[in-house]
Amino acid sequence: MFKLKLHWQIIIGLILGLIYGLIAANNGWGPFTAAWIAPLGTIFINLLKLIAVPLVLSSLITGVASLSDLKKLSRIGGKTIAIYVGTTAVAVTIGLISVNIIQPGDRVPDQMKEKLQKTYEKDAIIKSGSAQNIKDRGPLQPVVDMVPNNFFSSASSNRNMLQVVFVAIFVGIGLIQIPKDKGKPVLDFFEGLNDVVIKLVDLIMLMAPIGVFALIAHTINKVAGDNPSQIMELLGALGYYMFAVIIGLIAHAAITYTGLLKTMTKMPLNVFYRGIAPAQLLAFSTSSSGATLPVTMECCEDELGVSEEVSSFVLPLGATINMDGTALYQAVAAVFIAQTLGMGLDLGAQLTIILTAVLASIGTAAVPGAGIIMLVIILEAVGIPSEGIALILGVDRILDMMRTVINITGDSSVAVIVASSEDQLNIPT
Ligand code: ASP
């Protein structure tokens, strides 16, 4: 029987969701959409989140346990982190170039500035409060946070993915060091669990077109409310700012990822982009690299030929610490807010932005809207009033969808690069 490829099914779901969302917003169907359509999207995201911890745990434990020596693990780890940090710094720089050329802050009409500040004042205060909690922590707190004192409490929240990664590596190392016959039942169990979870990803993806339809319809519903003319006004006022972010994101994918893939691997670009399309579409619809993780892993392994050993280490780590799209957006947003408020930023301030954006993106959670909370920390580092985020809150969700796509594209590119350098890339023919 003729069956449409998954990414086409998802694209159709996305377009239909968009059409339905616009019709619903124009006809005031908000309550109906929230009550009857949105829950389908929530179920879909919940299913993806449900399998993220068992997937990371089982695939990473089996991956690490299959390593013959631990030197390899530290080599893969070192490379991965170095490329992650390097590409993020490039992303921020591209963002700064884009915003300095386009100068979107000088193009917002004065009365609109006031209106935005007023409308989003309350939301801005809430976000600043969340950022303050993060800021009050000590410098080593992120490292401390990686080491859980109880495994079940770390496995109980997807936000603790780094803790799960830590436990999996730790258990994997323990497994290598005990006699093979003792470790075998444990390893067999995790291998079996891994197979089950991978099957579950396939089953969940059967629902992807409907889930994506519901998610997009609901997002439009939330962004536009029942007053679509308001969103048009916002898009008009913040159009140049959005353009600066989007063009930066596209440039980063086209220059940085393409360049690295071309020079460091034999991966044909069409195979790469076709292979990760389902994950990109999902990242766009969910705005969450965390929720997309199971699908990113499956695409990298099945469609791009990255070994499980590499993907199970590089991708969960990337979903939590590697956010090129977010870092780029934070740089553009910080400069945009400064420009709008009439503050000039000298070279020193822009360099501070590069450094803090790289660090802030590492600390950003892989969930919708996390990037703007960490943006507050960057603003404070360069002396821009954090209430300024009120200016950009109205269009943040749209940009969140786009930056999340780049976040997972970055993770996947690095997985391919690391796999290729370890001779663990088996490009499908
Ligand atoms: N939503 C983004 C992600 O999950 C994070 C952010 O920039 O808000 O990758």
Side-chain angles (χ1 to χ4, degrees), residues 286-290 319 322-323 325-327 329-330 364-372 396 400-401 403-405 407-408:
T286 60
S287 288
S288 166
S289 351
N322 182 49
M323 302 211 178
T326 299
Y329 141 84
Q330 286 167 335
T364 305
V367 295
I372 199 160
D396 201 59
D400 195 1
M401 296 160 92
R403 63 191 190 239
T404 308
V405 173
N407 288 347
I408 70 105

Side-chain angles (χ1 to χ4, degrees), residues 176-212:
I176 299 179
Q177 300 194 338
I178 60 173
K180 274 221 159 50
D181 56 325
K182 285 266 167 51
K184 193 169 180 305
V186 182
L187 197 55
D188 284 348
F189 168 76
F190 282 111
E191 275 172 358
L193 180 65
N194 198 20
D195 287 349
V196 173
V197 180
I198 289 171
K199 188 82 241 151
L200 293 184
V201 179
D202 290 338
L203 294 178
I204 296 167
M205 286 310 278
L206 293 177
M207 189 195 167
I210 298 175
V212 165

Side-chain angles (χ1 to χ4, degrees), residues 39 54 74 83 104 106 125 154-155 178 209 222 229 251 260 265 352 373 426:
S74 43
I83 308 178
D106 301 340
I125 293 173
S154 23
I178 60 173
K222 266 202 326 214
S229 60
L260 286 175
T265 75
T352 310
I373 294 177
N426 219 330

